[in-house]
Structures are given as structure tokens and as C-alpha cells.
Amino acid sequence: MNEIMIVIAVIIIICVLLNKVSSKFGIPVLLVFLLLGMATNSLSIDTASDTNLKGIERLCTVALIFIMFYGGFGTRLKSAESVLLSSALLATAGVAITAGCVGLLCHFLLKWAWLESLTMGAVISSTDAASVFAILRSRRLGLKNHTAPMLEIESGSNDPMSYMLTIIMISIFNGTASGIMMIKLLLAQFLLGAAIGFAIAYLLITLCNTKIKIGSTGFDSVLFVAIALAAYAIPSAIGGNGFLSTYIVGILLGNKIDFNGKKSVVNFLDGVTSMMQILIFYLLGTLTDIPTLHTVALPSLAIFGFITFIARPVAVFSVLGFWWKRYPIRQQILVSFVGLRGAASIVFAILVINSNFSSSHDLFNIVFYIVLLSILLQGSLIPIAAKKLDMIDAGEDVMKTFSDFSEEAEMSFGTIEIGPDNPWKNQMVRDLKLPKNLLLALLLRGNDKIVPKGHTTILAGDTIIICTKSYNNYSTDSIYQHRVSKYSDWAGHTIKEYPYKADRVIILINRGNERIIPNGDTLLLPNDLLTILDRDSNTVNFEGQTIK
């Protein structure tokens, strides 16, 4: 047991280190995890037995649950409203068109049986959210005309459609799906998944807004783990599409509830999702039979080329062509090219294998080969393609497309009390000559709350709430605390009476239950707890004692 834990820890550390390397050299990070899994498999570790296949399928399913939940939770609907319908059609009709086109290729060109051909189309038809997100984020690739949110919504929500098509093909193979039964199965998957997803989401939204107050404790993050698992398990237990339900719950909770600890929850889910991406790609890499991989090279290359240059463009142009004035040709070409295949397709291939689906072709290795080519070639060429198509928008921050709640995008609020000697007293807002990144957000005057305009006059006694960008680069700063003792030379004197280093400042005084933002006239008292910002050094000397 200890040996297994050591191996797992070492693998995770290697994955994290390789993540840094891949970002530096522009290699798609998920490809690195796949290759590491393949390297592990080359050590003759048995992962491809039937028992292990079923276990890996379950682990990968759990990983997909969190990837899809966070994909929804982190989606900012406001930035995607204009492309919501287009993205939804790409995630449904686009997937079906892609699956059908691949099925035709496999049957007529590769001479596969119809059932195997359409099953291959169903398995490989969705694009991969983890791959798309990772590449857009790592390259900070801002794209024109709301292309990034379109790709976000599509890739985050099209796995359920591919899953439904795969389940239908398995049911046909098992003889449990006639024409009527196929329609019933499709409707049950879609309607139950969507209905339960909406029901769970709105129940939680109602509870959070009325009964339950979510804060910032660690248990709140654990709560969202439970919600993600329940959102999948409940509809799946009664024949619904758990992935669809999970995505709906994630996107509604992420956009309809707000609470103080939301950023910490997002950071937690981001970490969990990153861990799940490492897990899923590593495990799938371990399943690959490297010595026999070359035997599926020709059909894999044929299907990959067909999807990339024919099936995916046909699907995209069929959907986005309805808005031909809205989506220029170059944008449609880029959306077609960014249709990366990924982990979900490999998981669905394992699902087919575990269902005892008889095939004369190596379905798993073909799908794996296609995913490998997609991440390696398409993933590496996306920035070049975007540049050649003139689709890069230098002023568009892709990190704002995704609802990261990241520190670098966060705004900070503060208050200013207008005393009788404040230079802002009796001044109009437009005469203050405020810095570019500072905004007077609200003015409190007695019981009145005033949104300040240019002609608003500031009066003594007003409290002004200001808004500005947060400062996040603490690499040259050190913040620490110091308690003023009753024997201190500081006690009983104002701050300005005792000189100290010009690059050091007292930014806060805790006095009992009172928190004071000091100035030069602030009197220091015994037992005051000083919060000190030292811009150059981690060492400060007070009262003859060196404090680090």
C-alpha cells in the first residue's frame, strides 16, 4: 500500500513539473500526461485486463463528472449570451452531423460494417473541453467575435450528445433498441437529464438564496463535490443523461448564486479539475498497447484527416452558416479547426468495449491514436491558425471569458471618510482628477446611498466607497505583524514621532475589536497589533528585537 501511494505521489509531482515545461515550450500539456501514461505502460504494468478496464472506466467517469461540472460552473453566461444558441446547436446537431459523416466514411471507404461505423462516429463525435480550455488558457489566446465563449460552451456541453449516441449504438448491438425504443431511449436520456439537472439546480439556488448561507469554509467546497456527484448519479440511476444534468447544474449554480466564499470554491474546483485531467489522461495512456499501435495507423490517420478537414467543417458550416453575416468564413474555419478530440472519446470507447461489443477492428487504439494526433497537431497549431486567419484579438482577455474569479481580474473595494479637513470636501467629482483605475462607486450620506456622478458634490461626513484593481505581485513585499508591548518606546506616541525606514509602512492597527487604518497622527497604545508592509526586507527591528 505504501509503495502504491509513493508511486502515485511521484507520478503527480512529475505531471505538475511537466506542466510547467509544456507551458514553456508550447507543448499541449494534456499530451504530456498521455505520454507519461504510455511510458508507464511500457514498464509492463498490467492495466488492460477486463477488471482494470472496468475500474478505469469508473475512475474516468468520475473525472469527467468534475470536468463537466466545473466547465459549467466556470462559464460566464453574460459573456456568452450572444453565442448561446449557436453553441448549443454545435453541441447537439453539430455532434450528430459529425458522427453521421464519420459513419459514412468508415462504411464506404474503410469497408466497416454499419454498426461498427456508426459506433465509431458516435464515440469520436464530441470535442474535448479539457483540451480546448487548456490550450486557450495556457496561450492566453484572445479571439475575435466571441469565438472563445462559443468554443467554451460547445466543448463543455457536447459530451452528453456523444454519450447518448454511444448508448444507443450499444443498445442496438445488444438487441434492446428497436426504432421506437431508440427514440424513447434518446428522449429519456435528454429529457430526464435536462429536467433533473434544472430541478436540482433551482432547488439549490432557492435554498442558497433563502435558507442556506454559504460562506468560505472548507466544508462549502466539499458541498459542491457532493452536488456534482449527485447531479450525475440521480438521473443516471433512472435512465437519464448524468453528464447533461451535471453540466446544467454547474452552469446554473455558477451564474445564479453568489456568496462570500465563491472564489475559494472556484479555486478548489479548479484544483480538483486539474487533478482529474491529470488522472484521466494518465490512466488512458496506461491502457495503450504501444507495440500494436502502428497497426491502426492507416485507419486512424484516415478518420482523423476526415474529421479535421471534412466532417467537422461540414458540421460547423451547417450550423453557423445560418448566421452567415454574423459569423465570417474565417471564424467558421477556426471553429472547425479547434474541434479537438480528447479524453471523453477514449472513455466512451472503453464503455463500448466493456459492453462486450464485438468488433473486428481495434476500436480503442484507433480512438486513442486519433486523440493523440488531434492534441499534438491541432493543439499545437491553434495559435498559428488563429493568427493566419486574423482571428486574434489582442484586447480580448480569454481569462475573462472563463469565469475564473482569478486574482488578476479581481477588483478591490475600500472606504474613505470625508472629514472637515479633507481636501475633497465641497469638491465636485469631476474636479478630483482621479487616477484612471480608480472609481468612486458609492457615496454614503446619512441614510442615503448615492451613485456619484460628475456633478455630485462631496460633503464633510460623507463616506465614499472606492473601487480599484487588486494588487497581486507580492514578490518584493513582506507583510507581518508586531504587538506593541507596554514597555515599548512606541507606546503613547504618534506614528510620525518615530522615524522608521522609508520603505516600511504600518497599514493596519488591531486594537481590541477595532481595526484602524492609521495616519501620521495615529496614537500607538500598548497591546496594539500592527500589520506592517516591508517592501524590501523580510526582517525588521523593533524594541531591540529582530523579527523575521
Side-chain angles (χ1 to χ4, degrees):
M1 182 65 181
N2 290 333
E3 291 80 1
I4 294 175
M5 293 174 67
I6 292 171
V7 171
I8 292 173
V10 170
I11 289 171
I12 292 173
I13 292 170
I14 292 173
C15 286
V16 172
L17 294 176
L18 290 176
N19 183 19
K20 302 293 184 183
V21 174
S22 70
S23 299
K24 182 177 180 180
F25 293 101
I27 305 169
V29 62
L30 300 179
L31 175 64
V32 175
F33 301 152
L34 276 175
L35 294 176
L36 183 61
M38 294 170 67
T40 304
N41 189 33
S42 68
L43 299 176
S44 300
I45 298 175
D46 181 21
T47 54
S49 66
D50 290 342
T51 302
N52 285 339
L53 268 178
K54 287 181 168 52
I56 288 176
E57 180 198 333
R58 295 188 185 99
L59 286 173
C60 290
T61 297
V62 173
L64 282 178
I65 290 170
F66 286 103
I67 291 171
M68 294 203 67
F69 180 81
Y70 181 59
F73 195 86
T75 297
R76 185 171 297 168
L77 280 179
K78 286 185 179 179
S79 67
E81 285 178 349
S82 62
V83 294
L84 200 56
L85 179 59
S86 306
S87 302
L89 288 174
L90 283 173
T92 50
V95 168
I97 292 170
T98 302
C101 289
V102 172
L104 292 174
L105 169 83
C106 292
H107 181 71
F108 289 107
L109 183 63
L110 301 181
K111 306 302 180 181
W112 291 12
W114 271 116
L115 188 59
E116 290 178 273
S117 300
L118 293 175
T119 301
M120 171 59 74
V123 165
I124 204 70
S125 58
S126 68
T127 59
D128 187 65
S131 302
V132 172
F133 290 6
I135 291 171
L136 291 180
R137 290 182 176 193
S138 64
R139 301 299 184 88
R140 297 286 178 131
L141 203 59
L143 301 175
K144 295 179 180 178
N145 202 23
H146 302 288
T147 304
M150 178 190 295
L151 293 169
E152 174 194 8
I153 296 287
E154 183 215 359
S155 61
S157 62
N158 62 11
D159 286 342
M161 185 66 180
S162 180
Y163 176 76
M164 283 190 282
L165 295 176
T166 302
I167 292 297
I168 287 173
M169 299 313 301
I170 292 174
S171 299
I172 293 174
F173 170 77
N174 291 331
T176 59
S178 61
I180 299 297
M181 288 301 296
M182 283 173 53
I183 296 175
K184 288 183 178 179
L185 179 62
L186 186 61
L187 289 175
Q189 279 276 310
F190 181 78
L191 294 179
L192 284 175
I196 293 174
F198 278 108
I200 292 174
Y202 279 105
L203 174 62
L204 291 169
I205 291 168
T206 302
L207 290 174
C208 289
N209 290 337
T210 57
K211 304 291 185 182
I212 302 175
K213 299 301 179 184
I214 300 179
S216 57
T217 66
F219 286 104
D220 299 323
S221 299
V222 175
L223 172 63
F224 281 91
V225 171
I227 290 171
L229 295 174
Y232 174 84
I234 293 174
S236 296
I238 57 176
N241 191 310
F243 292 117
L244 178 61
S245 171
T246 301
Y247 185 77
I248 289 173
V249 172
I251 200 168
L252 289 177
L253 291 185
N255 287 272
K256 298 296 184 182
I257 63 172
D258 198 11
F259 52 94
N260 292 333
K262 190 170 187 178
K263 192 179 77 172
S264 64
V265 169
V266 169
N267 290 337
F268 170 79
L269 291 175
D270 191 30
V272 170
T273 303
S274 297
M275 181 70 181
M276 293 302 169
Q277 288 175 6
I278 292 174
L279 172 68
I280 195 170
F281 278 88
Y282 173 79
L283 286 176
L284 294 177
T286 64
L287 292 175
T288 310
D289 188 5
I290 298 176
T292 63
L293 201 57
H294 70 280
T295 63
V296 298
L298 288 179
S300 301
L301 284 168
I303 297 172
F304 168 72
F306 182 81
I307 290 178
T308 305
F309 299 110
I310 298 178
R312 170 70 176 177
V314 166
V316 171
F317 277 77
S318 297
V319 172
L320 300 186
F322 287 109
W323 296 278
W324 62 274
K325 289 184 178 179
R326 183 173 170 185
Y327 301 113
I329 297 297
R330 55 192 175 86
Q331 183 179 13
Q332 296 185 51
I333 293 173
L334 182 62
V335 171
S336 300
F337 191 74
V338 184
L340 302 179
R341 311 299 127 174
S345 296
I346 305 177
V347 175
F348 297 156
I350 297 174
L351 180 65
V352 171
I353 294 169
N354 285 340
S355 68
N356 296 319
F357 186 96
S358 63
S359 173
S360 56
H361 304 282
D362 190 348
L363 187 68
F364 175 84
N365 275 328
I366 291 174
V367 172
F368 186 91
Y369 206 118
I370 293 170
V371 170
L372 201 63
L373 290 171
S374 182
I375 296 176
L376 176 60
L377 298 181
Q378 285 176 273
S380 299
L381 293 175
I382 284 174
I384 298 173
K387 185 177 181 180
K388 292 292 184 183
L389 292 167
D390 191 28
M391 283 297 297
I392 295 179
D393 185 353
E396 180 69 20
D397 185 359
V398 71
M399 300 306 288
K400 292 182 181 178
T401 300
F402 303 97
S403 185
D404 291 297
F405 299 88
S406 60
E407 290 291 339
E408 65 183 339
E410 185 178 315
M411 305 301 292
S412 290
F413 293 89
T415 59
I416 296 176
E417 304 287 343
I418 306 299
D421 300 323
N422 192 294
W424 285 9
K425 187 185 72 170
N426 298 326
Q427 296 285 321
M428 285 194 291
V429 171
R430 62 170 168 250
D431 297 327
L432 297 180
K433 297 180 180 180
L434 298 173
K436 182 179 179 180
N437 291 324
L438 189 144
L439 173 71
L440 304 189
L442 193 66
L443 190 151
L444 306 179
R445 182 174 294 161
N447 295 325
D448 295 330
K449 296 179 180 180
I450 303 168
V451 177
K453 307 294 183 184
H455 56 79
T456 304
T457 300
I458 299 173
L459 304 179
D462 288 347
T463 297
I464 299 175
I465 298 176
I466 61 170
C467 177
T468 187
K469 287 184 177 180
S470 295
Y471 175 66
N472 303 297
N473 182 11
Y474 297 108
S475 59
T476 59
D477 298 316
S478 178
I479 297 178
Y480 45 85
Q481 292 184 317
H482 170 72
R483 179 79 65 180
V484 179
S485 73
K486 62 181 179 180
Y487 305 108
S488 171
D489 290 336
W490 290 63
H493 294 275
T494 61
I495 290 177
K496 68 182 180 185
E497 289 177 320
Y498 280 87
Y500 50 91
K501 288 176 61 177
D503 52 10
R504 185 180 301 142
V505 62
I506 299 173
I507 58 176
L508 185 68
I509 298 175
N510 286 68
R511 183 174 294 161
N513 295 325
E514 186 180 8
R515 309 181 79 180
I516 303 168
I517 297 178
N519 56 42
D521 296 321
T522 303
L523 188 68
L524 296 174
L525 301 179
N527 209 38
D528 280 351
L529 181 62
L530 312 181
T531 301
I532 300 166
L533 173 68
D534 192 346
R535 297 184 182 90
D536 283 337
S537 173
N538 291 327
T539 304
V540 61
N541 186 279
F542 280 111
E543 305 164 8
Q545 181 182 8
T546 298
I547 300 173
K548 295 184 179 181

